[in-house]
Amino acid sequence: MSNTFRISLITATVLFSASALSALPQGYPAEYQKVVDAATKEGKVVIYSTTDIKAAGPLIQGFEKTYPGIKVEYNDMNSTELYNRFISEQASGGVSGDVVWSSSMDTGLKLATDYAMEYKSPEQSQLPKWAVWKDKAYGTTYEPVVFIYNKRLIPAGDVPDSHAALAKLIASQTDKFKGKVTTYDIEKSGLGFMLSVQDHNADPHYFKTLADVAKGGLSVQSSTGTMMERVSSGENLIGFNILGSYAEARAKNDPSLGISYPKDYTLVLSRVSFISQQSQNSNAAKLWLDYVLSEQGQNILANQADIPSIRNDIEGKNDIDGLTKILGNALKPIPVDETLLEYLQPKKRLEYIKEWRTAAGK
């Protein structure tokens, strides 16, 4: 090998290494390059998620552009399906998701308790303390839970701005709202169950409030999309415990769909994510989790997917700071901690569902 060629090869190697290292996110340790290299060899990451593929699309594209050697295999399912499928695959020892990303915070944390790999993300310092559980499970979003209504059929003066106002409106016009109020079926939707429990924790008179809301009769569904479609069409007039991120995204192109943020308290959901202990692509899974939590990933969520950011340094108003300026103390973030697990105990869950069904007239 000639000296000229050897020098050129060394120079190219140095330049390549410098280029690779410079591509690392700002503030990441140099050793992170080893994770990137190992992830590139793995070549893919398998995501099990409740986040709609349409909403997650920009994030997936951003990740694959940042790490072109890694393909995202994205599996979109409802919260109950995700929970049951993941547990079944773990029990059988079969191929499963590398990363779980669930809007059902309680079942997501339950899975993390049993199956999560311990991993301290370099992005952890940018997150609220309540959003990180034992370096295993991470809250990834900051999503207010809202009321939706049909703007053509509900007069502006009747739009409720609190849970008590919602109950009063429906109880005073039961004929108008007969079969026209929609929410989650808490037996079929893990997210719906979790939000109901959080309402119960926030409102000491929750079941009385629910009974008044249900006086017109509840139309229960297992997905946000179905509820928004029915309210928009007029088949239902009003809905509660709706993910504000999805509602805001739809309302941009749907003049019939109105949104109200309750001022007594507004629950804030944060989609829980973790890496599986049995991940077959654990390095790629680390890259994905870090990317979702990063400034770049959170910018995509906030400004392209219309899912509010859990950070406070994101462009625009769709992050913690922006929402706090609008809703202030009404915001009640649901912490990623063991309190989520209380009502997952089988006996307590069944008792709660029974009491909910009685109040809801089901």
Side-chain angles (χ1 to χ4, degrees), residues 58-70 72 291 296 300:
L59 190 67
I60 295 169
Q61 293 170 13
F63 177 83
E64 291 183 341
K65 184 176 180 180
T66 301
Y67 301 108
I70 305 170
V72 176
Y291 185 80
Q296 182 179 353
I300 291 173

Side-chain angles (χ1 to χ4, degrees), residues 285-330:
K286 292 174 182 177
L287 294 192
W288 170 266
L289 178 63
D290 294 337
Y291 185 80
V292 171
L293 297 173
S294 71
E295 184 177 0
Q296 182 179 353
Q298 291 283 308
N299 258 314
I300 291 173
L301 283 175
N303 297 309
Q304 295 185 44
D306 292 309
I307 298 177
S309 169
I310 197 165
R311 295 171 65 118
N312 59 14
D313 58 352
I314 301 304
E315 297 175 9
K317 300 178 180 179
N318 207 18
D319 64 0
I320 287 181
D321 279 357
L323 289 168
T324 300
K325 288 176 182 177
I326 298 171
L327 297 170
N329 292 332

